[in-house]
Amino acid sequence: MTNYGATTTTDEILQGQILTGRHFMVTGASSGLGEETSRALSSVGATVTMVSRNKEKLEAARERIKETIPSADLHIGIVDLSDLASIRAYASDFLATQKQIDVLINNAGIMACPFSKTKDGFEMQFGTNHVGHFLLTNLLMPAILDGDKPRIINLSSAGHTHSDVDLEDPNFDTSEYNAWESYGRSKSANIHFTQELVRRYGNKLQSFAVHPGVILTELGRHLTPELMHEMTERVKARSTSSEKAKETGGLPFKSMEAGAATQVWAAVTHDLHDQNGAYLGDCQIGIEGGNPSENGYLPYIYDKETARNLWTLSEELVQQLSLIHISE
């Protein structure tokens, strides 16, 4: 396997690649990691559909990319992942075009926001980060399965170590809300979703969950000094790679190009053929019990029963739509 690491950039991942004729869809593409992922992929010939809820910001991101890559083949799609009606409408319109999706990168997300609920009554982080992507992915599955060697990349986080999913109270209806616990639940859900996709469709597609690292993006817009302190203390308690990491929290910041590299690697590499469903960090396969700030993970993310039950719950939450099921 290629010797990549925490400082590897998207352009280094894509060096020598030619992606002409392949179609990628990237959610949360109006800024940050989603914009950088779209830029990098389009720089080597990929067709990229950039998806976000804000048309003005999305068009601005597309223009920024076009300024540096005039030949970039970029399209935009407007969908609000916190609104099931918006997701349904977008998926219906997209499928009507009969386009295939070779790689779906579920990059969008929110982090550590104050307690609120989506239009459909889901706790905001769980509803946006997991339920929204769950519905979008399943509704787009015909186009994905029609793709060439299709992949689904789900952006997770070391934040999964804050908490596993809570299948009994996913929306904090009875338990006290904590912003980091909520974020952890949603990021664990992203990994369980990845695992169940592999179980259901493993012979038809590949799927990977990705920890991007710590990057200064709009994702951190809700962070207060108190939330930052709480996060640092939590990470200190979990750091395992070195004494320095235990003292500092082990939170090295990455550039945008390095932050997006792992999801780009997951989307294009051939090194992961035998690692379907893997959790990835720093452009490496995850290590159970390792430092979560790097590529370490907690073992509960690979619990098969939790993954199955989360899928069932998610179907119920989106009103048991007629989702595609492949015989197991």
Side-chain angles (χ1 to χ4, degrees), residues 2 13 17 25 29 34 45 89 92 113 115 120 123 129 150 157 159 194 215 227 243 246 259-260 270 295 299 314 319:
T2 308
I13 293 291
Q17 295 255 7
M25 178 180 287
S92 177
C113 59
F115 180 76
D120 302 283
E123 186 275 315
N129 296 349
S157 168
T194 299
I215 310 98
L227 284 171
E243 287 302 317
K246 293 177 182 178
H270 300 296
N295 62 337
S314 301
Q319 300 175 358

Side-chain angles (χ1 to χ4, degrees), residues 38-40 42-43 64-74:
S38 301
R39 181 207 66 80
S42 65
S43 74
R64 286 192 293 270
I65 296 173
K66 295 283 282 186
E67 288 174 4
T68 58
I69 310 169
S71 62
D73 186 8
L74 302 170

Side-chain angles (χ1 to χ4, degrees), residues 227-291:
L227 284 171
M228 284 295 295
H229 176 73
E230 181 181 350
M231 177 180 68
T232 301
E233 292 303 308
R234 284 170 176 257
V235 174
K236 284 182 184 179
R238 300 191 309 269
S239 293
T240 59
S241 62
S242 67
E243 287 302 317
K244 182 179 179 180
K246 293 177 182 178
E247 293 173 2
T248 65
L251 287 171
F253 282 86
K254 291 184 178 183
S255 68
M256 198 70 70
E257 295 80 7
T262 303
Q263 62 197 54
V264 170
W265 178 60
V268 304
T269 185
H270 300 296
D271 291 343
L272 298 171
H273 182 74
D274 298 325
Q275 299 289 336
N276 201 5
Y279 174 80
L280 312 174
D282 287 352
C283 299
Q284 296 287 332
I285 296 171
I287 298 174
E288 182 178 334
N291 186 358

Side-chain angles (χ1 to χ4, degrees), residues 84-147:
L84 298 188
S86 173
I87 297 168
R88 292 180 180 122
Y90 175 73
S92 177
D93 289 345
F94 182 89
L95 293 177
T97 68
Q98 299 183 339
K99 294 178 182 177
Q100 68 184 42
I101 301 172
D102 299 307
V103 182
L104 171 63
I105 302 178
N106 287 322
N107 164 84
I110 56 175
M111 180 176 72
C113 59
F115 180 76
S116 62
K117 289 194 173 183
T118 70
K119 181 178 179 181
D120 302 283
F122 309 130
E123 186 275 315
M124 186 61 71
Q125 295 190 77
F126 178 70
T128 302
N129 296 349
H130 170 64
V131 178
H133 279 123
F134 174 86
L135 180 60
L136 179 67
T137 301
N138 275 289
L139 291 178
L140 291 177
M141 195 61 77
I144 295 168
L145 294 177
D146 195 41

Side-chain angles (χ1 to χ4, degrees), residues 178-221:
N178 175 276
W180 286 122
E181 182 177 352
S182 168
Y183 184 64
R185 290 183 184 186
S186 71
K187 294 293 99 178
S188 290
N190 295 147
I191 307 171
H192 289 307
F193 179 41
T194 299
Q195 292 295 303
E196 190 63 8
L197 280 168
V198 170
R199 191 179 77 84
R200 291 170 178 256
Y201 300 99
N203 63 331
K204 295 181 179 293
L205 58 78
Q206 288 186 298
S207 185
F208 302 100
V210 170
H211 166 50
V214 182
I215 310 98
L216 292 174
T217 72
E218 290 186 7
L219 185 68
R221 61 186 175 274

